[in-house]
């Protein structure tokens, strides 16, 4: 079974995000970039499936600038077999990403697509669901545990009330939650091997996709600064303070 794992290049989760002075977006100049953490979990899960003999090939896909090839190399160093870079300059909205991924799925015919449930830069949480709709495949989102069977997958998923187990027939779309696994670190030998693994370069036009944006960002602002707390001695003072700030 062939497994496709989309990986997105985002600002590293340890970096404090800065907004541009003109409010037009986030400042990416001289900022450390890395693989989206939820996608990293997806890569790890695909590798585990291959180690169990459930998958035969893992394809890492990234849609973004030329530097996104570094993100694919990270996936290859972890254990993916080859990569596909769809080169795009600028932001690509979730629907356009899903359409490009559909074109890749039509060409590659995978048995499973494992995506991060969301990217930590835009937090859209849309691409996996949109891809399932475009392909007409079953989907299991927020996967907490994955067990592969004969032509099917049992997915334990996180919901507000606890855990829910669903069965999906393959081919299917699965999106990863934070507690699905703990991604491995790439060893030095695997990092060296990753340099020789192939990465195909494509463009949206190769799949007949128009990536023109449908949304317009009007302004990006930082959240308001938190004000200092105050200590109150009695419940009466607390009620009075809450009334003062309009909380009650």
């Amino acid at each position: 079974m062939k497994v496709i794992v989309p990986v997105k290049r985002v600002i590293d989760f340890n970096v404090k995000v800065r907004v541009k002075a003109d409010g037009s977006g986030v400042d990416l100049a001289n900022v450390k970039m890395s693989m989206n953490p939820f996608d990293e979990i997806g890569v790890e899960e695909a590798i585990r499936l291959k180690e169990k003999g459930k998958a035969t090939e893992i394809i890492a896909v990234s849609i973004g600038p030329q530097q996104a090839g570094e993100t694919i190399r990270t996936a290859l160093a972890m254990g993916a077999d080859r990569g596909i870079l769809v080169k795009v300059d600028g932001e690509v909205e979730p629907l356009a990403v899903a359409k490009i991924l559909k074109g890749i799925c039509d060409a590659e015919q995978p048995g499973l697509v494992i995506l991060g449930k969301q990217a930590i830069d835009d937090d859209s949480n849309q691409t996996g669901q949109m891809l399932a709709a475009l392909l007409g495949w079953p989907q299991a989102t927020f996967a907490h545990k994955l067990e592969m069977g004969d032509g099917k997958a049992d997915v334990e998923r996180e919901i507000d009330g606890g855990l829910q187990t669903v069965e999906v027939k393959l081919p299917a779309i699965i999106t990863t939650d934070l507690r699905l696994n703990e991604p491995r670190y790439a060893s030095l030998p695997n990092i060296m091997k990753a340099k020789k693994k192939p990465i195909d370069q494509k463009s949206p036009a190769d799949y007949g996709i128009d990536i023109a944006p449908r949304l317009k960002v009007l302004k990006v602002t930082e959240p308001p600064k938190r004000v200092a707390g105050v200590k109150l001695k009695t419940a009466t003072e607390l009620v009075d303070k809450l009334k003062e700030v309009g909380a009650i």
Side-chain angles (χ1 to χ4, degrees):
M1 179 180 69
K2 191 181 295 185
V3 180
I4 287 180
V5 185
V7 293
K8 186 176 183 181
R9 180 176 182 263
V10 299
I11 295 177
D12 189 89
F13 70 93
N14 288 308
V15 174
K16 179 176 173 55
V17 176
R18 301 189 308 270
V19 175
K20 292 180 181 178
D22 61 0
S24 62
V26 173
D27 187 2
L28 300 179
N30 301 315
V31 173
K32 181 183 178 184
M33 308 292 284
S34 62
M35 186 189 301
N36 179 48
F38 290 105
D39 297 341
E40 197 172 9
I41 292 170
V43 174
E44 174 64 28
E45 195 64 23
I47 295 169
R48 294 187 184 190
L49 290 177
K50 188 176 180 182
E51 291 172 344
K52 294 176 183 177
K54 301 293 186 180
T56 56
E57 185 181 28
I58 302 169
I59 306 169
V61 177
S62 193
I63 301 167
Q66 189 65 42
Q67 296 92 321
E70 300 169 8
T71 307
I72 294 177
R73 289 291 178 200
T74 301
L76 296 177
M78 290 175 66
D81 298 294
R82 61 186 173 96
I84 298 175
L85 171 61
V86 181
K87 189 177 177 183
V88 174
D89 293 320
E91 293 294 323
V92 187
E93 293 173 0
L95 180 58
V97 172
K99 288 180 178 179
I100 293 172
L101 291 176
K102 178 185 182 299
I104 294 173
C105 289
D106 289 340
E108 296 289 346
Q109 295 295 305
L112 192 64
V113 180
I114 306 179
L115 308 88
K117 69 173 184 178
Q118 64 195 74
I120 62 172
D121 53 0
D122 57 18
D123 273 340
S124 291
N125 182 19
Q126 295 175 342
T127 303
Q129 294 88 328
M130 288 176 170
L131 178 59
L134 292 171
L135 288 169
W137 291 3
Q139 61 177 305
T141 56
F142 314 132
H144 174 87
K145 184 178 179 181
L146 172 63
E147 295 290 341
M148 300 299 296
D150 186 15
K152 65 181 180 67
D154 291 328
V155 181
E156 191 176 85
R157 56 190 302 270
E158 297 193 22
I159 58 175
D160 290 340
L163 298 174
Q164 176 191 55
T165 301
V166 297
E167 179 184 292
V168 291
K169 293 182 179 180
L170 301 181
I173 307 296
I174 293 175
T175 69
T176 66
D177 213 327
L178 191 62
R179 285 162 287 279
L180 178 60
N181 60 51
E182 183 71 30
R184 68 192 66 190
Y185 290 102
S187 64
L188 182 57
N190 285 339
I191 292 173
M192 300 305 292
K193 290 177 183 177
K195 295 180 180 180
K196 298 181 180 180
K197 292 182 180 180
I199 298 180
D200 294 333
Q201 290 213 18
K202 300 287 186 179
S203 70
D206 293 330
Y207 303 102
I209 305 301
D210 178 14
I211 62 169
R214 297 162 181 259
L215 303 175
K216 181 180 179 181
V217 177
L218 301 179
K219 190 176 183 181
V220 177
T221 59
E222 293 186 5
K225 302 290 185 182
R226 293 185 63 180
V227 296
V230 294
K231 290 184 178 181
L232 303 173
K233 295 181 179 180
T234 66
T236 302
E237 289 182 4
L238 173 60
V239 172
D240 291 340
K241 189 66 176 178
L242 291 175
K243 288 180 178 178
E244 179 184 328
V245 298
I248 58 174

